[in-house]
Amino acid sequence: MFVVDEKEGVVCAEMSVEKMGKVYVFFVDGMLVDAGPQLCEKELIAFYNKYPIDQVVLTHNHEDHTGTAPWLQQQFGIPIFVHPKGLTECSEDTPYPEYRIQTWGRRAPFEAQPLESVVSSRSRNWQVIETPGHARDHVAFYDGESKVMFTGDLYVNPRTKVIMRDESIPQIMQSIRKLLEYEFTSIFCSHAGYVENGRSKLEEKLAYLENLSAQLKRMHGQGMTVEEIREELFPKRYPIIAFSGTEWDSMHIVTSILANQDD
Ligand SMILES: [Zn+2]
């Protein structure tokens, strides 16, 4: 399924992928934000051929955001930008495990260029806001004039129950706080799409994570082990945990919060 819609002057292309749900790419002012999963390449190529794309900016290097970047580079010869910390992954062939290859497809290597603090499209200037936590190289893009905010995978949903092994909840909280300093109401999220009340949803997520962190540290202070805390707060075994061989797990929420006890 491939659905195209327009919100606040931004073209939103929605794809549905089995097991993982929805993923989006956005097009505005000659700029493509993210390049979707390779598995959706056929539909995406038809989409790309309808829009005048000058450049591609990536919110981070994960394969569901960079899948068609090699095609875009080869066919259109346009620049593709990523945070400097994502350059190496982009240059590697399929640098992720088998279950993610099955889910999102095979992403060939491509040559990305480093993002600077501002990226200019035809008539707009986008601030590149470093927002690590979901990935080391994660950024948001923000235009202060139109107040359009692309948040990559920072939001996704307000009540996080499982995360990837490399993610950090304390860093995600810091990144949400940083984003909330900017003036905006709606957001464009790579998995939830256009969220009209995006600011309040991000506030809701931050409050949930702050609460969770406080509760978890209290339990740990009372002598509970990480396993006991996990059983208490996250008893449900989501299918993604087994499917990913625990690269996704609620346990990573517990350990990432307890690793930052001094924050
Ligand atoms: Zn991601």
Side-chain angles (χ1 to χ4, degrees):
M1 211 181 64
F2 196 90
V3 183
V4 179
D5 195 5
E6 190 170 328
K7 299 284 183 191
E8 300 181 18
V10 176
V11 180
C12 312
E14 175 196 315
M15 293 148 273
S16 294
V17 173
E18 202 189 348
K19 286 200 179 86
M20 292 298 195
K22 289 175 181 171
V23 57
Y24 288 79
V25 302
F26 303 105
F27 174 79
V28 61
D29 198 35
M31 184 173 89
L32 184 73
V33 180
D34 283 343
Q38 188 270 331
L39 216 66
C40 302
E41 190 163 77
K42 206 172 139 233
E43 295 90 339
L44 279 168
I45 289 170
F47 173 76
Y48 297 154
N49 282 322
K50 288 187 197 134
Y51 293 90
I53 305 172
D54 305 329
Q55 61 179 333
V56 184
V57 294
L58 302 170
T59 58
H60 59 299
N61 75 81
H62 287 164
E63 66 279 7
D64 47 331
H65 301 256
T66 56
T68 66
W71 186 92
L72 286 158
Q73 183 152 70
Q74 279 161 21
Q75 299 298 316
F76 292 170
I78 51 178
I80 301 175
F81 297 97
V82 74
H83 186 279
K85 287 184 178 164
L87 289 170
T88 306
E89 280 94 341
C90 292
S91 71
E92 291 167 350
D93 191 0
T94 337
Y96 47 92
E98 183 60 33
Y99 84 94
R100 284 162 61 180
I101 297 176
Q102 283 173 31
T103 306
W104 302 113
R106 288 189 171 275
R107 199 220 65 211
F110 64 100
E111 205 176 310
Q113 299 179 36
L115 279 165
E116 292 181 12
S117 58
V118 175
V119 60
S120 297
S121 57
R122 292 179 183 191
S123 62
R124 303 192 193 194
N125 293 309
W126 301 87
Q127 292 187 56
V128 178
I129 309 168
E130 292 186 330
T131 43
H134 169 70
R136 297 183 306 134
D137 63 339
H138 192 282
V139 297
F141 299 103
Y142 175 67
D143 168 25
E145 259 176 52
S146 61
K147 317 287 184 226
V148 167
M149 177 69 94
F150 294 106
T151 56
D153 283 2
L154 186 57
Y155 169 64
V156 183
N157 67 61
R159 292 179 161 266
T160 311
K161 304 283 190 198
V162 284
I163 59 171
M164 296 174 86
R165 188 172 286 119
D166 290 345
E167 290 191 72
S168 161
I169 293 292
Q171 271 188 23
I172 289 171
M173 287 161 61
Q174 237 357 81
S175 290
I176 295 175
R177 287 187 197 108
K178 185 176 184 180
L179 215 69
L180 289 171
E181 288 169 16
Y182 294 81
E183 194 189 332
F184 65 95
T185 309
S186 60
I187 59 168
F188 291 84
C189 167
S190 300
H191 294 283
Y194 174 70
V195 184
E196 198 175 358
N197 58 345
R199 168 176 288 274
S200 57
K201 296 306 275 183
L202 277 167
E203 286 167 348
E204 182 188 334
K205 177 164 185 159
L206 181 59
Y208 163 78
L209 293 176
E210 280 172 343
N211 240 312
L212 182 67
S213 301
Q215 196 182 3
L216 213 144
K217 286 175 185 175
R218 214 179 307 122
M219 292 163 98
H220 190 64
Q222 287 163 357
M224 285 176 75
T225 65
V226 289
E227 288 80 11
E228 287 165 346
I229 295 171
R230 185 256 167 81
E231 278 315 314
E232 181 80 19
L233 296 177
F234 304 104
K236 200 168 160 195
R237 294 296 192 268
Y238 297 89
I240 182 79
I241 298 173
F243 177 61
S244 69
T246 72
E247 185 178 41
W248 288 84
D249 201 321
S250 311
M251 187 57 118
H252 308 318
I253 297 179
V254 179
T255 49
S256 80
I257 289 171
L258 293 179
N260 279 259
Q261 279 282 44
D262 306 328
D263 289 2

